Amino acid sequence: MRKILTLLLLLGSLFMPGLAQAQTTEPPVIRNEAIVDYPQSVRFQLEVDPAFNVVDAVLNYDVTQTACLDVSTQVPVDVAGSLIDWEWPMVRSGNPPPGAELWWEWTLTDDQGNTTTTPRQTLTFSDDRFDWQTVQEGNVTLHWYAGDEVGPLLLDAAVSGLALLEEDMGIELQEPVELYIYGRTEDMRDAVLYIQDWAGGVAFAEYNTILIGVVPSQAEGWGRDTVRHELAHLVVGQYGRSCVGGHRPTWLEEGLAMYAEGEPSEQVLSDLERSQENNDFAALRSLNGPFPAHGDAAGSAYSQSYSVIQFLQDEYGIKKLQDLLLLIAGGTGTDAALEQVYGFNVDGLESEWRVWRGLPARTYPPTPTPLAVEMIPTVVPFAGPQDYPTPLPIAEKGVEETAVPQPGNSICALGLIPLFALAFIAQKSQRTKI
Ligand SMILES: [Zn+2]
């Protein structure tokens, strides 16, 4: 399975004379390549003419991504002979998704103290286990290999989801996105290190890339909803990107993604009906942080979040939602941002929403309880790049052909969302340690 996928590039690249600090005989590069064993590792190899006596070599590489702080990795590599070799084990940093672009260059010093840098080279990570087909519309490119109708169908879901976000929320896709639709969940998981064993899809926000495992028989239902849901996370993430630590509360993040799925599913409607009858909606403040990942409580949290977004949209309109997202992105806390835009905090929002739904008033503690640090789960130490894993439709665990995906089950791993920045920082620090 871990076959060598992409291996390249450029033989015999000559050094750029202009970059040399002191001119010397330009060392002919016999071979300069990166051998990818995706998603496990990349082995960089540089072979220089033995006549050029390299005493010091530094490898500089990075994967192109959207990030607030993107620092390339510089690695001093031991030199023994004319073959210089170093392996990047992605097991330590998490792997980039297919489609991500790697660049690298070598800086060499010879025994006379002359330094020169090889021209920057690039390669694109790919998952060559499958014979991918591609469809594209506007800024959305979708790759798939199983079921002829799956690609066009899910591309249509993506494009219509984007249109809904734009029309109803005034939020547009800012950067192109790539979707990789695997024909089986297992195939998708094998492309991602450290993915949760219940995940059916994952969004790599920094790469604007989404991976989802969609059995062709589930494309129309679960696949369509999940594409729109995950795409909404990326679009809202682009719109509300924060480099100052602003975190959207989970009810806002997930409510917007649910809203982008389109008309509420039967599951959402029945969740809302049940909670309305039992008067057992969660305190909205408790939905600032992670949701339960499974079970009725998880479903209810999503459905309630959807309803809150529907309320804000219907009663206050697009502009205020945009203002809220941008204020939070600018580092304003959720309560303060709500106060500034709507004149109420999270508890006040819940009160208004309950009136809107015809629910009896609830009492609130006089002082809002801040989200305690201990309520945030620990980030997994490897802190891979996946931000929004989505569980499988329950049916996929059973017989595929008779599968009936649960309509409201396009659920993300909510625990990870508020930790996005932490995960990002951890990832970068891991990488720079390499
Ligand atoms: Zn989600």
Side-chain angles (χ1 to χ4, degrees):
M1 182 189 314
R2 309 298 184 202
K3 75 185 204 180
I4 293 179
L5 297 174
T6 312
L7 96 140
L8 315 191
L9 286 172
L10 305 191
L11 296 174
S13 298
L14 295 177
F15 284 13
M16 290 160 63
L19 292 181
Q21 291 177 354
Q23 288 299 317
T24 181
T25 306
E26 290 175 11
V29 172
I30 297 170
R31 187 164 60 89
N32 181 4
E33 64 183 4
I35 303 161
V36 180
D37 179 8
Y38 189 81
Q40 301 294 331
S41 64
V42 181
R43 176 168 290 279
F44 298 92
Q45 290 194 329
L46 180 71
E47 194 174 350
V48 184
D49 189 324
F52 183 80
N53 192 14
V54 178
V55 295
D56 188 63
V58 176
L59 172 67
N60 190 16
Y61 72 91
D62 200 5
V63 180
T64 306
Q65 57 184 305
T66 307
C68 298
L69 176 66
D70 193 16
V71 181
S72 67
T73 301
Q74 298 203 357
V75 191
V77 179
D78 290 340
V79 178
S82 57
L83 179 63
I84 306 164
D85 170 285
W86 189 79
E87 184 178 80
W88 169 26
M90 292 191 275
V91 68
R92 294 179 60 186
S93 57
N95 65 292
E101 187 177 84
L102 167 74
W103 63 260
W104 77 97
E105 60 194 24
W106 290 90
T107 298
L108 304 177
T109 305
D110 70 7
D111 55 0
Q112 305 300 307
N114 299 304
T115 298
T116 189
T117 300
T118 61
R120 183 171 291 194
Q121 304 201 74
T122 61
L123 68 76
T124 301
F125 288 108
S126 61
D127 188 345
D128 291 343
R129 292 175 299 162
F130 306 105
D131 188 14
W132 295 97
Q133 302 184 70
T134 298
V135 282
Q136 191 248 337
E137 184 170 339
N139 265 344
V140 181
T141 304
L142 184 144
H143 312 269
W144 90 107
Y145 58 85
D148 285 343
E149 75 291 352
V150 168
L153 191 157
L154 295 183
L155 180 67
D156 177 68
V159 170
S160 60
L162 287 177
L164 184 73
L165 278 170
E166 194 173 329
E167 285 160 20
D168 281 14
M169 300 286 174
I171 300 174
E172 288 182 52
L173 182 67
Q174 324 245 319
E175 296 152 16
V177 296
E178 304 262 339
L179 292 106
Y180 288 83
I181 308 298
Y182 287 82
R184 297 189 318 144
T185 306
E186 293 77 10
D187 294 342
M188 184 272 296
R189 289 194 195 136
D190 286 342
V192 185
L193 297 171
Y194 305 128
I195 194 164
Q196 293 83 347
D197 61 5
W198 46 261
V202 61
F204 289 74
E206 292 172 30
Y207 298 95
N208 295 315
T209 298
I210 295 167
L211 274 53
I212 308 175
V214 181
V215 175
S217 63
Q218 297 179 339
E220 179 62 51
W222 185 83
R224 173 178 280 274
D225 289 348
T226 303
V227 161
R228 292 172 66 144
H229 184 106
E230 296 296 334
L231 197 52
H233 280 310
L234 283 196
V235 172
V236 171
Q238 288 179 3
Y239 184 82
R241 181 169 287 137
S242 177
C243 291
V244 292
H247 296 305
R248 289 181 290 280
T250 309
W251 58 262
L252 177 60
E253 181 76 30
E254 290 304 331
L256 288 168
M258 296 289 285
Y259 195 90
E261 290 185 31
E263 288 300 310
S265 64
E266 293 290 318
Q267 185 69 47
V268 169
L269 293 174
S270 76
D271 282 345
L272 290 172
E273 198 175 319
R274 191 188 62 238
S275 295
Q276 183 94 12
E277 277 175 15
N278 298 338
N279 190 23
D280 64 355
F281 281 111
L284 188 57
R285 187 170 294 283
S286 75
L287 302 183
N288 277 355
F291 289 3
H294 296 288
D296 284 349
S300 297
Y302 285 93
S303 301
Q304 182 177 348
S305 299
Y306 167 80
S307 179
V308 170
I309 296 302
Q310 192 184 31
F311 162 71
L312 286 174
Q313 155 74 352
D314 284 359
E315 296 296 308
Y316 295 94
I318 291 173
K319 177 68 170 57
K320 284 185 184 291
L321 260 175
Q322 294 173 341
D323 291 346
L324 180 66
L325 289 172
L326 294 176
L327 268 177
I328 292 172
T332 305
T334 299
D335 278 319
L338 280 167
E339 287 278 6
Q340 200 169 324
V341 176
Y342 296 98
F344 47 65
N345 66 7
V346 173
D347 299 329
L349 167 57
E350 183 181 354
S351 290
E352 298 256 338
W353 169 76
R354 290 181 71 90
V355 169
W356 182 71
R357 289 199 62 93
L359 287 161
R362 222 169 61 80
T363 52
Y364 300 95
T367 307
T369 310
L371 183 65
V373 170
E374 54 269 28
M375 292 167 68
I376 302 175
T378 307
V379 180
V380 285
F382 33 78
Q386 59 267 29
D387 308 320
Y388 308 120
T390 302
L392 283 172
I394 287 174
E396 192 173 327
K397 296 163 187 163
V399 181
E400 290 181 2
E401 287 311 309
T402 56
V404 182
Q406 292 211 331
N409 205 25
S410 49
I411 293 172
C412 298
L414 300 164
L416 295 180
I417 290 166
L419 302 172
F420 168 61
L422 280 178
F424 164 68
I425 291 164
Q427 182 196 357
K428 295 306 291 186
S429 60
Q430 286 277 350
R431 292 184 50 184
T432 49
K433 278 184 207 161
I434 288 172

